[in-house]
Amino acid sequence: MTRLVFFCGHAGTGKTSLAKRLIGPLARATGEPFCLLDKDTLYGRTGAATLAALGQDPRDRDSPLFLQHLRDPEYQGMLDTARENLALGVSVIAVGPLSGEVRERRLLDRAWLGVAADVGLAAVWVRTDEATARQRIVARAHPDDAYKLAHWNSYRKRRFEPQGAQLDDLIVFDTSAPGPADYDALLQRIVQASAA
């Protein structure tokens, strides 16, 4: 079987680090090959070039222009790439904020994802408190975070925590101070949740 596992959450929560930490153990636990698709790696350069061609700040990944015209095509491209890998028998870990998709409960919607019934699905919402996330963003000093930091009050209003029905079948993992047992438990939850 193949699996599609999402690691999503706001900037600075540690979703990419968590995905990289678990990809090897997940492959060993399931006996399946996995690839990692990180939205920023896939589309960071293209997004920057597009913004620059439009006369915008190429690092401004949180501007209204980016959110209205580039965000959704980037996610659709990531999903297209995921489906190609799944069709080849390669399971996928997909990493991106995906907050709108979590809000709308799309990450486990097979029709919206365009995946077959035999693809196992799991979605991990990676969280940490706002102050910790901001400290991590400042510490990593990535140029793409400049707009967020310069417009933090505006950015922070888009941060949300899933509630109610949004939590249905969503695995929530807090990266504030996890220990080895927490990572092991998360791995087991992903394996169980993604068993189609």
Side-chain angles (χ1 to χ4, degrees):
M1 70 175 287
T2 54
R3 303 171 198 247
L4 174 55
V5 180
F6 293 98
F7 284 80
C8 45
H10 299 297
T13 57
K15 56 191 175 291
T16 301
S17 297
L18 183 60
K20 288 179 178 179
R21 180 184 183 116
L22 291 183
I23 191 168
L26 190 54
R28 289 189 292 277
T30 62
E32 301 157 16
F34 273 82
C35 71
L36 176 69
L37 302 179
D38 185 298
K39 186 180 81 72
D40 289 341
T41 304
L42 287 169
Y43 297 106
R45 291 178 187 270
T46 304
T50 302
L51 289 168
L54 294 171
Q56 304 294 310
D57 180 348
R59 301 290 187 182
D60 184 352
R61 308 294 299 283
D62 288 280
S63 68
L65 185 143
F66 178 86
L67 295 173
Q68 291 169 14
H69 300 288
L70 299 176
R71 177 196 184 276
D72 289 349
E74 287 188 357
Y75 281 129
Q76 288 304 315
M78 182 172 73
L79 289 175
D80 291 342
T81 307
R83 284 190 294 271
E84 285 188 346
N85 279 278
L86 294 167
L88 293 170
V90 178
S91 292
V92 175
I93 290 179
V95 181
L98 292 156
S99 55
E101 290 71 18
V102 169
R103 187 180 282 116
E104 296 168 9
R105 300 180 63 199
R106 290 182 166 177
L107 293 186
L108 300 174
D109 180 343
R110 291 180 185 283
W112 184 80
L113 293 170
V115 298
D118 62 347
V119 174
L121 298 175
V124 180
W125 177 259
V126 185
R127 70 157 315 276
T128 194
D129 63 89
E130 180 186 332
T132 300
R134 192 175 194 285
Q135 289 171 356
R136 290 175 179 172
I137 292 170
V138 170
R140 71 188 181 195
H142 195 285
D144 288 349
D145 292 324
Y147 187 91
K148 281 185 192 71
L149 293 172
H151 302 86
W152 188 259
N153 285 335
S154 173
Y155 167 72
R156 69 188 297 271
K157 291 176 185 173
R158 296 202 326 269
R159 288 177 52 97
F160 88 108
E161 284 299 319
Q163 299 177 28
Q166 295 167 340
L167 289 167
D168 289 352
D169 300 317
L170 189 67
I171 300 168
V172 178
F173 189 78
D174 192 304
T175 60
S176 299
D182 299 309
Y183 290 114
D184 291 343
L186 174 60
L187 176 66
Q188 292 309 311
R189 290 188 68 191
I190 293 169
V191 170
Q192 291 168 2
S194 63

